[in-house]
Amino acid sequence: MTVQQRMDYLIRQVTHLPYAKVYLREDWNVYYFDIFGKMFGLMSPEATTTSSISLKNIPEQNEEWRELYPTIVTPGFHLNKKHWNTILLDQDEIADEVLGQLLTKSFELVCANLKKEQKEWISKRKHECTISINNEIS
């Protein structure tokens, strides 16, 4: 896959997550992935050799990823280095499906910290879920 195809794939993955949103956050110049206003991912807005995605994960697993892929996975750029990794998208050492799983894990970790009412709201309405996607993303 090209970098653009990989980015499109990851954006599509967000559309399968209940009540998740992805939009271009112009003040930061990134695609911003969120659930109820809580960020679970950031991704470069353009496909280049330096395009990346930043995702939350369990600190111990973050360390493992950094050791396994030291040239691809680094501590989260401008984020809490313990909880976030930044992954280069121009490399294919990490399969797209694995990136999708990491995206889902980041979403789940953020959802675990939502307010009780928000968790209940999601749980009651999963069957009627619709995803909000900014019109700039096709």
Side-chain angles (χ1 to χ4, degrees), residues 6 9 69 91-102:
R6 181 172 262 198
Y9 167 79
Y69 303 100
Q91 307 294 317
D92 59 2
E93 290 179 53
I94 300 174
D96 296 330
E97 295 77 20
V98 174
L99 287 174
Q101 291 168 358
L102 290 170

Side-chain angles (χ1 to χ4, degrees), residues 13 19 40 54 73 84 98 107 113 115-116 127 137-138:
Q13 293 306 303
Y19 302 101
F40 67 91
S54 294
V73 180
W84 291 82
V98 174
F107 171 81
N113 291 318
K115 294 177 184 174
K116 181 180 177 184
H127 66 283
I137 302 169
S138 55

Side-chain angles (χ1 to χ4, degrees), residues 12-128:
R12 280 193 309 276
Q13 293 306 303
V14 175
T15 68
H16 298 292
L17 300 172
Y19 302 101
K21 295 190 283 185
V22 57
Y23 54 90
L24 181 62
R25 185 163 172 173
E26 293 182 18
D27 58 334
W28 290 3
N29 193 35
V30 296
Y31 280 121
Y32 190 90
F33 305 159
D34 90 9
I35 177 77
F36 289 112
K38 303 286 184 185
M39 177 181 72
F40 67 91
L42 297 172
M43 188 170 66
S44 302
E46 297 174 5
T48 68
T49 57
T50 60
S51 295
S52 64
I53 187 167
S54 294
L55 300 168
K56 189 171 190 172
N57 202 344
I58 297 166
E60 295 78 23
Q61 291 178 349
N62 280 338
E63 288 298 324
E64 288 175 27
W65 280 98
R66 292 172 197 164
E67 288 174 18
L68 280 172
Y69 303 100
T71 60
I72 300 171
V73 180
T74 57
F77 185 67
H78 289 302
L79 298 163
N80 181 313
K81 310 278 187 246
K82 180 177 179 181
H83 295 279
W84 291 82
N85 275 338
T86 296
I87 304 165
L88 287 176
L89 297 174
D90 190 36
Q91 307 294 317
D92 59 2
E93 290 179 53
I94 300 174
D96 296 330
E97 295 77 20
V98 174
L99 287 174
Q101 291 168 358
L102 290 170
L103 177 69
T104 300
K105 176 74 169 191
S106 183
F107 171 81
E108 291 170 348
L109 287 169
V110 170
C111 283
N113 291 318
L114 292 174
K115 294 177 184 174
K116 181 180 177 184
E117 308 84 54
Q118 293 170 323
K119 291 178 189 177
E120 289 173 357
W121 195 86
I122 290 172
S123 144
K124 289 178 184 175
R125 291 170 179 82
K126 273 190 176 175
H127 66 283
E128 55 188 60

